């Protein structure tokens, strides 16, 4: 892990600044103690980060669980009773992991995963614009279309100028300008500017601005527009922020219902985030999903035992990690320790950070997830990819994350049912090695995203120094998800000295440079891959 510390340390600082307001905001939206969100962030970073097989995924409290937590605390009567459900949810996740339920993540089509990333990017932008202008009625980290204040995502945008805070806007604009200038200009000039990153400088400027303008009537920023970390007076008051489960409530059937609900939703969100994070990973690492469920289960047990919110892997923090140049899970672990150290040693300083500066950081994260060129790329792939992609985005923006993904998945399944027929033999492996590792992989007539889990497993199990022959002679339909898997595998093939030979009706290609290029360049009359 430590060989990439020059990348992971700067990245962990950016993830820390993204995670801190989200941990506090999600706790507030959940009706839980503010410190419970910080506990979950620390556990997600240190415990889950250490146990997980994901190199870039970051775990912590999730906005998608806020409504469930809010309702559960009221139903179960106290936060201590709710913590019992969190511990039990962790145990259920361990069972999911031992039962190898992580394979579920492979059955979500690429178009839906990309729609999820883009939809979250759009939601980040829409939700952070009010904070950027100083309108902080909604807690940081909220994702649902209907807001707790009674407004919705778009009505709050229309009300921005009725609640504008000039100081917040000024430092938000300055912070955004610094981040963009750092990213687009300075980072390309010298390595120093990739080690000390723009978001850190923006936060320092934000603190300095708050302190300098404190006596200025027009530019002063009040406490309600700053980060709000609980400040303990002494060690005893710090320790009193931890809550512990009331295990006498374990016989309450409602506790078990809440536990199973949290386990199911948290596991699903985690598996979707794992898929999305692997898509973003420039090194094309494949996260072991069953191990991830075991790590998440352990994290939730520990979080529940000491008063934390339930934990999932979360795409906003994970994408910030990727965008900031993180290379290993050391970045995730360090961000967890930064949360712990900062709330103990410098909570007063943290409470001088304007929320608008953190909104500027998140606006950049959101834009990088929802770049306009992605819409063009998905459109060019055809309606079978574009329709589920757009439906997922619309569903996420106008409802919430899980509903949007469910809608996209439903449309994706309908598309597959319309365009392909059932074929039980989609993959044939033939080992002609005789000690020389010669593997022949023959794909069937119809290969869809339903098959990507098995193909990923077969490709990942190939030994080093293998001669791999991929036969597409009989293949009439090859889903874009499978093409992307093959494209990503080229990176690993070079590392493991695997030579690839591609056989199709168009001829034989040794060591193809790009599967995507090969399939996009095929003649329209070629029915071998229609």
């Amino acid at each position: 892990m430590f060989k990439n510390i020059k990348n992971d340390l700067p990245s962990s600082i950016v993830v820390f600044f993204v995670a801190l307001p989200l941990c506090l905001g999600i706790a507030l939206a959940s009706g839980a103690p503010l410190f419970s969100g910080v506990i979950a962030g620390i556990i997600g970073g240190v415990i889950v980060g250490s146990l997980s097989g994901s190199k870039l995924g970051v775990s912590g409290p999730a906005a998608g669980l806020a409504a469930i937590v809010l309702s559960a605390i009221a139903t179960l009567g106290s936060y201590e009773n709710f913590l019992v459900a969190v511990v039990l949810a962790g145990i259920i996740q361990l069972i999911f992991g031992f039962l190898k339920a992580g394979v579920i993540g492979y059955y979500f089509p690429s178009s839906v995963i990309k729609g999820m990333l883009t939809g979250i990017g759009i939601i980040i932008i829409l939700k952070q614009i009010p904070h950027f202008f100083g309108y902080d009625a909604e807690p940081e980290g909220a994702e649902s279309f209907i807001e707790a204040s009674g407004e919705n995502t778009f009505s709050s945008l229309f009300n921005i100028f009725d609640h504008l805070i000039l100081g917040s806007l000024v430092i938000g604009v300055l912070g955004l300008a610094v981040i963009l200038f750092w990213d687009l200009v300075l980072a390309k000039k010298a390595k120093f500017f990739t080690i000390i990153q723009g978001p850190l400088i923006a936060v320092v400027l934000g603190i300095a601005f708050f302190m300098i303008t404190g006596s200025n009537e027009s530019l002063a920023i009040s406490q309600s527009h700053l980060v709000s970390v609980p400040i303990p007076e002494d060690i005893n008051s710090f320790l009193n922020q931890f809550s512990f489960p009331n295990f006498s409530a374990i016989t309450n059937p409602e506790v078990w219902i809440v536990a199973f609900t949290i386990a199911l939703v948290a596991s699903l969100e985690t598996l979707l985030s794992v898929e999305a994070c692997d898509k973003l990973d420039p090194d094309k690492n494949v996260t072991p999903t069953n191990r991830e469920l075991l790590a998440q289960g352990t994290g939730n047990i520990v979080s529940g035992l000491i008063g934390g919110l339930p934990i999932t892997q979360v795409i906003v923090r994970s994408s910030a990690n990727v965008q900031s140049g993180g290379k290993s899970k050391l970045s995730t672990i360090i961000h967890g320790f930064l949360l712990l150290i900062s709330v103990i040693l410098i909570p007063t300083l943290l409470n001088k950070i304007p929320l608008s500066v953190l909104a500027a950081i998140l606006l950049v994260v959101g834009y990088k997830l929802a770049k306009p060129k992605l819409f063009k790329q998905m459109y060019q792939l055809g309606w079978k990819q574009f329709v589920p992609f757009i439906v997922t985005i619309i569903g996420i923006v106008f409802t919430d994350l899980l509903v949007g993904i469910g809608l996209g998945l439903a449309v994706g399944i309908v598309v597959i049912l319309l365009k392909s027929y059932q074929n039980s033999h989609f993959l044939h492996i033939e080992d002609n090695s005789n000690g020389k590792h010669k593997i022949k992989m023959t794909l069937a007539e119809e290969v869809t995203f339903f098959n990507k889990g098995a193909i990923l497993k077969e490709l990942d199990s190939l030994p080093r120094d293998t001669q791999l022959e991929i036969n597409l002679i009989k293949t009439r339909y090859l889903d874009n998800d499978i093409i992307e898997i093959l494209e990503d595998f080229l990176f690993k093939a070079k590392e493991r000295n695997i030579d690839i030979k591609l056989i199709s009706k168009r001829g034989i290609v040794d060591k193809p440079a790009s599967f995507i290029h090969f399939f996009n360049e095929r003649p329209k009359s070629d029915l071998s891959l229609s």
Side-chain angles (χ1 to χ4, degrees):
M1 285 194 300
F2 290 96
K3 69 179 181 180
N4 293 307
I5 193 167
K6 66 179 182 180
N7 300 101
D8 292 330
L9 183 57
S11 179
S12 69
I13 295 172
V14 176
V15 176
F16 161 71
F17 285 127
V18 170
L20 179 63
L22 296 183
C23 290
L24 294 168
I26 291 167
L28 183 62
S30 302
L34 281 182
F35 197 65
S36 65
V38 179
I39 294 171
I42 294 168
I43 299 300
V46 178
I47 302 297
V48 178
S50 300
L51 298 176
S52 169
S54 176
K55 290 191 174 182
L56 296 174
V58 182
S59 297
L65 288 172
I68 295 173
V69 174
L70 182 65
S71 172
I73 294 173
T75 301
L76 300 180
S78 73
Y79 187 65
E80 289 72 20
N81 291 347
F82 169 74
L83 291 176
V84 178
V86 177
V87 174
L88 292 175
I91 295 171
I92 294 169
Q93 283 186 295
L94 291 181
I95 295 170
F96 288 165
F98 286 124
L99 293 176
K100 302 190 183 303
V103 71
I104 293 170
Y106 293 129
Y107 293 95
F108 287 84
S110 174
S111 56
V112 173
I113 298 300
K114 289 178 180 177
M116 180 185 85
L117 286 169
T118 306
I120 289 174
I122 293 171
I123 280 291
I124 292 171
I125 293 170
L126 294 175
K127 293 292 189 181
Q128 291 305 315
I129 288 174
H131 293 292
F132 187 77
F133 282 83
Y135 183 25
D136 299 311
E138 186 74 359
E140 287 276 3
E143 293 177 356
S144 295
F145 181 70
I146 303 299
E147 299 180 350
S149 61
E151 294 189 272
N152 60 53
T153 302
F154 294 105
S155 67
S156 63
L157 293 176
F158 296 134
N159 292 329
I160 283 174
F161 293 103
D162 294 333
H163 302 86
L164 187 148
I165 304 298
L166 183 59
S168 293
L169 177 59
V170 169
I171 191 56
V173 171
L174 287 174
L176 183 60
V178 166
I179 294 167
L180 293 176
F181 182 69
W182 213 273
D183 193 22
L184 300 175
V185 180
L186 296 181
K188 298 175 181 177
K189 299 288 186 182
K191 288 186 177 179
F192 170 80
F193 296 111
T194 61
I195 296 173
I196 304 298
Q197 297 211 3
L200 174 60
I201 303 304
V203 168
V204 172
L205 282 176
I207 294 172
F209 181 88
F210 167 74
M211 297 175 70
I212 292 169
T213 61
S215 58
N216 186 300
E217 288 186 10
S218 59
L219 294 177
I221 304 174
S222 66
Q223 186 61 49
S224 62
H225 304 292
L226 304 172
V227 170
S228 182
V229 177
I231 302 177
E233 296 178 359
D234 51 37
I235 187 64
N236 287 329
S237 60
F238 175 76
L239 294 176
N240 287 337
Q241 294 180 99
F242 293 86
S243 303
F244 303 99
N246 173 26
F247 281 109
S248 63
I250 201 168
T251 56
N252 182 353
E254 292 286 344
V255 169
W256 287 89
I257 293 171
V258 170
F260 187 78
T261 302
I262 292 173
L264 195 61
V265 175
S267 298
L268 183 56
E269 285 207 24
T270 290
L271 294 174
L272 290 167
S273 292
V274 163
E275 275 279 286
C277 190
D278 285 351
K279 283 283 181 195
L280 295 173
D281 184 0
D283 294 328
K284 303 305 177 188
N285 293 292
V286 178
T287 299
T289 51
N290 295 317
R291 177 176 169 182
E292 187 65 31
L293 289 177
L294 294 174
Q296 296 290 333
T298 304
N300 274 317
I301 291 171
V302 177
S303 185
L305 286 173
I306 60 175
L309 290 173
I311 294 168
T312 75
Q313 189 178 122
V314 276
I315 197 59
V316 177
R317 276 155 270 187
S318 300
S319 60
N321 194 18
V322 175
Q323 293 169 14
S324 303
K327 290 293 182 183
S328 78
K329 59 184 182 179
L330 182 63
S331 174
T332 300
I333 296 169
I334 293 175
H335 119 273
F337 278 113
L338 288 176
L339 283 171
L340 175 61
I341 294 167
S342 64
V343 296
I344 294 175
L345 299 181
I346 55 169
T348 304
L349 183 63
L350 294 178
N351 288 347
K352 298 181 189 300
I353 302 174
L355 291 175
S356 60
V357 173
L358 300 179
I361 298 173
L362 285 165
L363 284 173
V364 175
V365 172
Y367 174 78
K368 289 182 178 179
L369 283 173
K371 287 183 176 179
K373 69 177 183 180
L374 181 60
F375 288 84
K376 181 180 178 181
Q377 291 173 355
M378 294 302 294
Y379 180 78
Q380 290 174 338
L381 288 173
W383 71 271
K384 289 178 286 186
Q385 294 292 314
F386 188 69
V387 172
F389 170 76
I390 286 295
V391 168
T392 303
I393 292 172
I394 294 172
I396 289 173
V397 171
F398 286 96
T399 56
D400 58 37
L401 179 64
L402 290 179
V403 172
I405 290 167
L407 291 172
L409 179 62
V411 172
I413 291 172
V414 170
V415 169
I416 290 299
L417 292 175
L418 288 173
K419 301 302 294 184
S420 66
Y421 56 84
Q422 191 174 17
N423 190 333
S424 60
H425 301 290
F426 67 90
L427 180 66
H428 177 63
I429 302 294
E430 192 177 313
D431 187 348
N432 298 321
S433 60
N434 293 324
K436 295 182 180 180
H437 297 311
K438 293 183 179 179
I439 306 294
K440 181 178 179 181
M441 180 182 288
T442 303
L443 300 185
E445 288 184 324
E446 302 278 340
V447 188
T448 72
F449 72 86
F450 289 115
N451 311 131
K452 70 178 184 178
I455 292 177
L456 268 173
K457 179 182 177 183
E458 294 293 348
L459 291 174
D460 200 50
S461 66
L462 292 176
R464 294 183 62 86
D465 306 314
T466 293
Q467 293 180 14
L468 173 63
E469 178 183 300
I470 301 177
N471 192 317
L472 301 172
I473 294 290
K474 296 180 180 180
T475 305
R476 295 182 65 252
Y477 175 75
L478 192 64
D479 197 298
N480 186 71
D481 285 45
I482 308 303
I483 296 173
E484 288 188 2
I485 286 172
L486 295 174
E487 181 74 11
D488 291 347
F489 179 69
L490 287 175
F491 185 93
K492 293 294 184 183
K494 291 177 183 178
E495 288 187 337
R496 287 151 54 185
N497 195 29
I498 296 174
D499 291 329
I500 300 174
K501 178 187 288 186
L502 182 62
I503 302 175
S504 73
K505 286 186 177 181
R506 292 169 54 197
I508 299 174
V509 180
D510 279 312
K511 299 180 180 179
S514 168
F515 283 98
I516 291 176
H517 179 75
F518 176 82
F519 293 120
N520 284 344
E521 291 296 318
R522 69 182 184 273
K524 291 184 179 179
S525 60
D526 183 357
L527 297 178
S528 63
L529 288 169
S530 56

